[in-house]
Amino acid sequence: MGSTPQKIERAKELYRKETGREPLDSWFEDEVPAHRVYLDAFYVDRYEVTNRQYQKFIEAANYRRPFNCMDAYFRQPNKPVMGIEWEEAMAYAAWAGKRLPTEAEWEKPARGGLKSKQFLHQVFPAQIQSRFLSFLSLPAIYLKSCW
């Protein structure tokens, strides 16, 4: 878990290149030192929570709808729910009798067992990286959701 100073500097370079802005050091405070984490066995759902599943939660728990400004394509019933806050994801997980994975539990399957795999800059072509980083730098109000 965590990142080496070289990986952090690479992430900062990508951010500078894509946004023209300087990243804050505070964004990386919990990334060092890189260290091993041992996990007990755990299960992760194979598929993301869909809009249909989340709608059932909203109705059953009388929970608020997310404000999602995404294209109608992403609001289709079988598409993954998007634009919810961490607290909303926690509430859904508790309602479904589950829990959110820890950072280590999420990272292990995301890496597919490859210890040295880099998420963004080694996996995606530069054009996709640019669009992804631009999306991440949008104002939070846009990243929230609308149904």
Side-chain angles (χ1 to χ4, degrees):
M1 291 293 305
S3 300
T4 64
Q6 296 82 7
K7 289 179 182 177
I8 290 173
E9 190 51 44
R10 176 71 177 132
K12 288 179 178 181
E13 287 172 18
L14 278 172
Y15 183 82
R16 286 184 199 105
K17 178 183 173 188
E18 297 300 328
T19 67
R21 297 184 302 210
E22 189 64 27
L24 299 176
D25 287 336
S26 62
W27 296 350
F28 302 95
E29 287 174 352
D30 62 351
E31 283 295 311
V32 289
H35 58 284
R36 287 188 186 271
V37 174
Y38 295 92
L39 299 169
D40 290 331
F42 63 95
Y43 289 98
V44 175
D45 285 353
R46 182 173 291 215
Y47 303 104
E48 300 92 347
V49 175
T50 65
N51 289 317
R52 178 178 285 125
Q53 292 169 307
Y54 197 76
Q55 180 64 31
K56 288 179 183 176
F57 158 67
I58 289 170
E59 293 167 2
N62 197 25
Y63 208 77
R64 65 184 173 270
R65 292 182 181 276
F67 175 72
N68 187 334
C69 292
M70 302 297 176
D71 185 280
Y73 172 81
F74 295 107
R75 294 191 308 264
Q76 294 177 27
N78 290 326
K79 296 292 180 195
V81 69
M82 295 177 67
I84 64 171
E85 304 261 342
W86 181 81
E87 290 83 5
E88 295 165 325
M90 288 285 290
Y92 173 84
W95 174 82
K98 301 177 181 188
R99 66 174 175 82
L100 296 180
T102 64
E103 180 182 4
E105 289 170 341
W106 180 89
E107 190 169 318
K108 185 173 183 176
R111 287 182 182 273
L114 302 174
K115 296 176 183 147
S116 64
K117 191 72 164 175
Q118 297 298 306
F119 288 111
L120 189 59
H121 59 280
Q122 287 185 351
V123 178
F124 299 111
Q127 185 178 13
I128 295 173
Q129 290 179 39
S130 175
R131 290 181 185 150
F132 181 73
L133 288 172
S134 296
F135 179 75
L136 289 179
S137 64
L138 291 172
I141 190 70
Y142 186 78
L143 295 178
K144 293 279 294 173
S145 191
C146 55
W147 282 6

